[in-house]
Amino acid sequence: MHLTMATEEDPHHHHHHSPHHEAILSSLTIHKLPDKLLLHIFSFLKHQELGKVARVCKKWRLLAYDPRLWKSVSLRPEYGGLHVHYVDALLTLIGIRFGATMKYIELPCELITSPVLHDLANKCPNLAYMTLDFANAMQLHDFNDLNAFPCNLRSLCICLSEVIFLEGFMRRIYSCLSSLEVLHLIGTFEMSMEAEEDIYEVINIGKIKAHTPNLRIVNMYGITFIDDSHIELLTSNCIHIETLALNFCLRVKGSSFKSLVQRCKKLKTLLLQHTGVEDHHMMAVPWETSIISELDLTSTELSTECLENILLRMPGFTFLALGYCEFFSDRILDHLSQKGKFNNLKALDISHTHALSENAIYQFLQSHGHHLTGLMCCGKPKLTENFWLNVIGFLTSIRICVLGTANGWFLRIQSKVHIDQVIEGFAQNCSRLERLEIQWDPDTIRFSDKSNKFVDHIRLRCPHLKSLTLSDGEYYEMVKSNFERADRLKVVRTTTNYCTSIVSLLNCYKDLLFN
């Protein structure tokens, strides 16, 4: 691997190199690179690849196993982590490779044992982020002799099991949780069958909150047993909460939100996607006293009256997600606009909102489109190419945009969509674009041999584009090969495998990430 390149402007380029010059060139191999530079190159590799690199030679082995490259380690193979078969092997690694530099670790249930936790507590003083995954546990190890646990954690993520009670384990670690600012409790919503007969309370929220007075961000995702009584308990001690995410906690109805808003004065972000929130509970909350500016009500069933009541009483939004809220109407959108609730709006999801008309959305984007960084507006069959050609010009700051309607046969899109001008619109107006998803399917999209030219434009004029997601079919294949020919790999995806979202525009997105 030679490290010099002559350029056309080089005046000596056309002369024959002297034998001496040739000798110098041939001796410039990768081994001449300073260790510091090699280490930097290695830092871009995954741990699986570092393991392979370590077999090359002694020098590379030393560098590949440098603790600075092992600050953040996942040992959950199903999430792209390393597979460590034996607890003893892990104990050795903690001793020689992780040590004082380690900041982040993910452990599967079979590696969560007293000796491992003791070593992490004693040998990794800078460990700040930890994931303990009990989701697939058949049985737990015995924790009776557990008497040390990392004490400086900033963030803890526990993936719960459906049936295994974690209280025995938790009891041993409560006293070490006072430094926690971020807590993720991840339930089994995605694994569980409909209509479970027995729902077990596998972890005690009431006891946790007594030991975690400094929590700022709480994410309970898809936990079958969580209801308002648990949130009531949490708010009684954790008054510093800024973000509460309860997505897919179906038993949450909202009766605890009155206390939540009264006690947690710093609450800015409330995420309630696919919860069971009910009108009368939501309307009883003194929202006007809150500072909530990020709200997600996606897939909830609140009435028009309730939505109007609560949204107008909130102080104003930077992030608002109302996907599948079928009762969110033109009138509410207009009222919110008039009352200045959207003056600082950055991200909006109004996908699959049957009651919102084309005209209301157009008026809204004309007024507010220029400061939006995220817009999701899919599942609306009436919004075809004419609508988008008229509004893309308003979206000059947009970073994430989702449009189009999948299943055209089902929602009966009458006309074909000529895709080229839509793509050209984004290329001309949206230079900050990072993620674009267009859901129209192959039956709906019309394109030609000239379409390649327009794809060239978006590829060149949107340099920050990280993903362009299209329905699988001929158009997708053409766009994908265009990007691949230009060496832009992994940018074009299909809606089959990938789903674009605006959640990355939430203020505390990095802290909300789990798995």
Side-chain angles (χ1 to χ4, degrees), residues 16-27:
H16 289 291
H17 295 308
S18 65
H20 175 64
H21 192 85
E22 293 287 347
I24 291 176
L25 269 183
S26 63
S27 69

Side-chain angles (χ1 to χ4, degrees), residues 91 94-95 98-101 118-126:
L91 293 173
I94 293 170
F98 301 164
T101 54
H118 286 170
D119 272 16
L120 288 173
N122 296 324
K123 295 176 180 170
C124 305
N126 292 308

Side-chain angles (χ1 to χ4, degrees), residues 206-448:
K207 286 211 178 107
I208 292 177
K209 62 94 186 178
H211 297 275
T212 53
N214 297 310
L215 283 182
R216 290 189 311 106
I217 291 163
V218 178
N219 174 25
M220 300 196 214
Y221 180 89
I223 307 181
T224 39
F225 69 81
I226 285 284
D227 61 28
D228 287 274
S229 66
H230 300 98
I231 296 154
E232 195 85 42
L233 282 169
L234 196 68
T235 57
S236 65
N237 194 43
C238 307
I239 58 169
H240 299 294
I241 292 178
E242 294 167 23
T243 297
L244 179 60
L246 300 167
N247 295 344
F248 296 91
C249 292
L250 300 176
R251 295 184 164 208
V252 171
K253 308 282 190 240
S255 61
S256 57
F257 294 170
K258 192 171 182 178
S259 319
L260 172 70
V261 164
Q262 286 166 342
R263 292 169 183 163
C264 303
K265 293 294 182 198
K266 300 176 183 176
L267 185 70
K268 289 201 283 277
T269 306
L270 184 58
L271 308 181
L272 303 171
Q273 180 177 353
H274 205 76
T275 49
V277 288
E278 293 174 355
D279 285 4
H280 60 290
H281 290 315
M282 294 296 276
M283 286 158 76
V285 180
W287 298 112
E288 56 281 351
T289 65
S290 76
I291 57 165
I292 291 172
S293 60
E294 298 184 321
L295 179 68
D296 187 347
L297 292 173
T298 304
S299 300
T300 53
E301 296 183 7
L302 300 175
S303 68
T304 302
E305 184 198 1
C306 175
L307 287 168
E308 185 160 26
N309 176 304
I310 67 176
L311 295 174
L312 279 164
R313 284 192 291 131
M314 290 183 186
F317 300 98
T318 56
F319 178 106
L320 183 59
L322 297 162
Y324 294 93
C325 287
E326 54 184 309
F327 301 111
F328 183 74
S329 64
D330 290 4
R331 199 181 80 170
I332 307 176
L333 188 69
D334 188 39
H335 272 184
L336 289 169
S337 246
Q338 285 172 13
K339 288 267 164 58
K341 304 293 182 184
F342 292 144
N343 291 354
N344 301 308
L345 189 69
K346 291 273 177 284
L348 180 71
D349 179 357
I350 43 171
S351 300
H352 300 274
T353 44
H354 301 310
L356 267 191
S357 71
E358 181 178 349
N359 191 36
I361 299 171
Y362 178 84
Q363 301 285 338
F364 167 80
L365 291 177
Q366 195 176 18
S367 316
H368 299 284
H370 57 281
H371 52 80
L372 284 182
T373 52
L375 174 65
M376 292 181 67
C377 193
C378 56
K380 300 189 71 64
K382 292 205 176 83
L383 306 188
T384 52
E385 84 199 79
N386 288 339
F387 174 83
W388 287 104
L389 293 183
N390 288 325
V391 300
I392 291 173
F394 305 143
L395 302 176
T396 47
S397 309
I398 205 80
R399 282 167 39 202
I400 302 173
C401 192
V402 180
L403 63 133
T405 305
N407 302 337
W409 56 270
F410 176 66
L411 291 162
R412 281 204 295 286
I413 291 179
Q414 300 302 332
S415 54
K416 295 280 186 190
V417 173
H418 294 263
I419 194 71
D420 294 345
Q421 290 306 314
V422 176
I423 293 289
E424 180 67 5
F426 280 107
Q428 295 293 345
N429 297 291
C430 311
S431 59
R432 299 182 188 176
L433 195 64
E434 291 170 24
R435 299 182 184 282
L436 175 61
E437 179 168 320
I438 297 178
Q439 292 189 359
W440 291 304
D441 34 47
D443 299 339
T444 308
I445 278 181
R446 185 166 285 173
F447 72 104
S448 67

Side-chain angles (χ1 to χ4, degrees), residues 182-198:
V182 181
L183 176 64
H184 295 273
L185 297 176
I186 307 305
T188 51
F189 174 80
E190 286 165 9
M191 304 177 219
S192 59
M193 307 304 287
E194 284 295 305
E196 285 288 322
E197 321 71 79
D198 302 328

